[in-house]
């Protein structure tokens, strides 16, 4: 940070056709298919994609039956890999599965019995974050990056820019003054395209139909730098150009590099895995506390031991913005939020097939009804209890 309090922060996002995001969507599509049949399915599903190949592996215990070939091909088709010219398509790709049952040793600590409350599916640490930079209570760089790639997919699917292909990335740099975002300093777009389009037209089209439709005009000025397909061409993309793996875009999935990350990915994991449910609950807590006026910025950490129903630690950091003592914030969290795996699953209603939708454009800052961890239903109660 400079002496005048100015600094720059950058976040990126990727389209649903990015190889790693293809994998996240396949893993979560399999989870959704099984949890719809058996809400208590235990799923840990990993996916790898490369030229002409989808490989799924992991541990699954469920009363349901997943037709892996169909789920994989339907997901790839929905993303937009429908043409063999792309080097990867839903009809000709090979699908290989190597799935076995969940370890009985793990199940012993997770399953609820008369003598044992449901425990965490693994050890680990999870973070939730919220701030007042945007109406979504999210950092501005990641929200704008998500909106750019979402728009990039929209203009492709609606044939507004017919020459676009599914793969793509965005990146946004925001200039801050103190805690406040002041302007967009740089925008980067990489958009996969057919071989017929001239680069000058593609750049003009994307600037007009994507960037100018997303970035607030008051956040841009003459110094805002725009970079579109800077290598000159981006014809080869998706699994033809890069191998993808589930869980390799954890910063895209969360807060764009702002705050901390516990290291665990979300996709392909059922809600007993606290990597997922714990991170969702930590976001729910942080967002409601910020909305309540308890702090302008808040990061919450919760940590678990495998098989143990209660967190082993809770930490809050308000970055100096709290209106009450941070120990009081911790007390409020313990009073108002159930932090056992069973409690988190119940409060957030996670035993539903809602997870494929989370696999693109971030798990946080969303307005769709499935994203129950984005609700602000505890904020007023927290405000009163905090004496604000």
């Amino acid at each position: 940070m400079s002496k005048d309090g100015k600094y720059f922060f950058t976040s990126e996002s990727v389209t649903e056709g990015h190889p790693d995001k293809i994998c996240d969507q396949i893993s979560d599509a399999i989870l959704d298919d099984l949890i719809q049949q058996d809400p208590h399915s235990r799923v840990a599903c990993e996916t790898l994609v490369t030229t002409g190949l989808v490989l799924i592996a992991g541990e699954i215990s469920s009363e349901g039956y997943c037709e892996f070939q169909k789920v994989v091909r339907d997901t790839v088709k929905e993303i937009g890999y429908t043409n063999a010219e792309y080097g990867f398509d839903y009809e000709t790709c090979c699908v290989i599965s190597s799935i076995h049952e969940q370890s009985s040793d793990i199940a012993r600590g997770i399953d609820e019995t008369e003598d044992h409350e449901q425990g965490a599916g693994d050890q680990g640490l999870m973070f939730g974050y919220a701030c007042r930079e945007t109406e979504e209570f999210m950092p501005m760089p990641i929200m704008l990056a998500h909106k750019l790639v979402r728009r990039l997919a929209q203009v492709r699917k609606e044939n507004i820019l017919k020459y676009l292909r599914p793969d793509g990335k965005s990146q946004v740099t925001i200039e801050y003054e103190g805690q406040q975002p002041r302007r967009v300093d740089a925008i980067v777009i990489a958009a996969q395209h057919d071989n017929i389009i001239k680069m000058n037209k593609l750049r003009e089209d994307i600037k007009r139909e994507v960037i100018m439709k997303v970035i607030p005009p008051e956040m841009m000025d003459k110094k805002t730098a725009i970079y579109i397909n800077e290598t000159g061409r981006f014809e080869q993309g998706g699994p033809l150009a890069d191998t993808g793996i589930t869980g390799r875009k954890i910063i895209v999935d969360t807060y764009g590099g702002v705050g901390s990350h516990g290291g665990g990915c979300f996709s392909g994991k059922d809600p007993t895995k606290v990597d997922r449910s714990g991170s969702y609950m930590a976001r729910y807590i942080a967002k409601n506390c910020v909305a309540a006026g308890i702090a302008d910025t808040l990061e919450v950490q919760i940590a678990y031991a495998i098989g143990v129903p209660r967190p082993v630690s809770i930490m809050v950091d308000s970055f100096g913005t709290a209106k009450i003592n941070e120990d009081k914030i911790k007390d409020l969290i313990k009073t108002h939020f159930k932090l056992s795996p069973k409690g988190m699953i119940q409060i957030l209603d996670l035993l539903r097939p809602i997870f494929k939708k989370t696999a693109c454009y971030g798990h946080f800052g969303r307005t769709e009804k499935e994203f129950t961890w984005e609700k602000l239903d505890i904020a007023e109660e927290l405000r009163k209890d905090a004496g604000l």
Side-chain angles (χ1 to χ4, degrees):
M1 184 183 295
S2 62
K3 292 181 180 179
D4 59 3
K6 291 184 179 179
Y7 66 96
F8 298 86
F9 196 91
T10 302
S11 296
E12 72 160 351
S13 187
V14 298
T15 65
E16 56 209 65
H18 185 281
D20 295 327
K21 275 293 150 205
I22 296 172
C23 295
D24 288 345
Q25 290 169 91
I26 290 172
S27 293
D28 273 340
I30 290 169
L31 171 61
D32 277 355
D33 186 67
L34 289 167
I35 212 168
Q36 185 169 25
Q37 301 173 60
D38 174 12
H40 299 286
S41 296
R42 299 288 187 261
V43 179
C45 181
E46 314 293 342
T47 304
L48 178 147
V49 296
T50 188
T51 306
L53 173 66
V54 178
L55 171 64
I56 53 175
E59 299 78 45
I60 293 175
S61 296
S62 175
E63 295 298 320
Y65 172 77
C66 179
E67 192 175 340
F68 295 118
Q69 290 273 342
K70 183 178 188 311
V71 171
V72 169
R73 295 185 191 281
D74 285 350
T75 302
V76 173
K77 180 181 181 181
E78 183 181 331
I79 291 168
Y81 286 101
T82 56
N83 191 328
E85 291 182 4
Y86 298 170
F88 182 83
D89 71 280
Y90 78 100
E91 290 182 304
T92 64
C93 67
C94 175
V95 179
I96 300 174
S97 63
S98 179
I99 302 290
H100 51 280
E101 284 190 340
Q102 181 190 58
S103 163
S104 59
D105 293 338
I106 295 175
R108 189 178 298 113
I110 298 171
D111 293 341
E112 187 172 29
T113 67
E114 291 183 2
D115 302 320
H116 178 73
E117 185 179 352
Q118 184 180 42
D122 201 353
Q123 70 177 52
L125 50 142
M126 301 85 216
F127 288 90
Y129 182 89
C131 62
R132 292 190 173 276
E133 289 180 28
T134 62
E135 63 181 9
E136 297 91 354
F137 293 89
M138 288 283 288
M140 185 174 287
I142 188 64
M143 287 309 300
L144 291 180
H146 284 325
K147 290 175 181 179
L148 285 170
V149 288
R150 188 187 283 270
R151 176 64 181 171
L152 201 60
Q154 181 184 3
V155 297
R156 170 177 62 88
K157 292 180 176 181
E158 295 180 2
N159 286 323
I160 296 171
L161 301 180
K162 297 181 180 180
Y163 53 79
L164 290 181
R165 292 181 179 181
D167 201 355
K169 303 175 76 173
S170 71
Q171 187 172 285
V172 176
T173 302
I174 298 291
E175 180 180 345
Y176 285 81
E177 187 174 326
Q179 299 288 331
Q180 298 301 316
R182 295 302 184 192
R183 54 182 291 274
V184 175
D185 187 67
I187 300 165
V188 180
I189 296 284
Q192 188 189 12
H193 57 83
D194 291 342
N195 59 12
I196 59 171
I197 190 66
K198 294 186 180 297
M199 194 50 51
N200 285 342
K201 176 170 172 52
L202 179 144
R203 288 170 176 156
E204 292 172 2
D205 288 349
I206 288 180
K207 183 176 180 180
R208 181 187 67 253
E209 295 294 340
V210 178
I211 294 173
M212 303 312 292
K213 299 285 188 181
V214 168
I215 306 297
E218 66 273 13
M219 292 296 292
M220 299 179 68
D221 56 31
K222 293 180 180 179
K223 293 183 179 180
T224 300
I226 296 176
Y227 305 95
I228 301 172
N229 285 28
E230 286 298 309
T231 62
R233 308 294 295 176
F234 184 10
E235 295 175 29
Q236 288 193 356
L240 175 64
D242 292 293
T243 298
I245 301 174
T246 298
R248 208 157 56 176
K249 285 290 178 282
I250 59 176
I251 300 303
V252 171
D253 286 342
T254 52
Y255 306 101
V258 176
S260 306
H261 197 294
C265 78
F266 305 151
S267 290
K269 297 178 180 179
D270 73 80
T272 66
K273 278 72 171 176
V274 286
D275 275 338
R276 185 163 218 159
S277 53
S279 296
Y280 289 176
M281 177 56 78
R283 163 64 177 174
Y284 180 56
I285 293 168
K287 185 177 180 181
N288 275 273
C289 286
V290 171
I294 290 172
D296 293 331
T297 302
L298 191 67
E299 183 174 81
V300 177
Q301 184 204 60
I302 48 180
Y304 291 87
I306 187 168
V308 179
R310 300 290 180 271
V312 298
S313 72
I314 303 171
M315 182 278 296
V316 297
D317 186 353
S318 67
F319 306 92
T321 69
K323 307 303 187 290
I324 62 175
N325 185 279
E326 288 185 354
D327 287 336
K328 172 66 172 174
I329 298 176
K330 285 178 61 176
D331 291 338
L332 288 171
I333 290 171
K334 293 176 181 178
T335 299
H336 291 274
F337 298 94
K338 295 179 180 179
L339 297 178
S340 66
K342 181 178 181 179
M344 295 189 296
I345 289 168
Q346 288 177 341
I347 290 172
L348 300 179
D349 196 12
L350 297 180
L351 297 182
R352 297 177 296 144
I354 60 172
F355 298 107
K356 183 183 174 186
K357 188 176 285 190
T358 69
C360 288
Y361 313 121
H363 293 245
F364 308 124
R366 304 283 290 271
T367 58
E368 298 95 319
K369 61 180 173 54
E370 293 90 347
F371 293 72
T372 51
W373 48 94
E374 294 295 318
K375 296 184 299 182
L376 291 175
D377 53 343
I378 307 294
E380 186 59 34
E381 191 175 340
L382 287 168
R383 184 180 3 255
K384 292 178 181 178
D385 209 0
L388 299 176

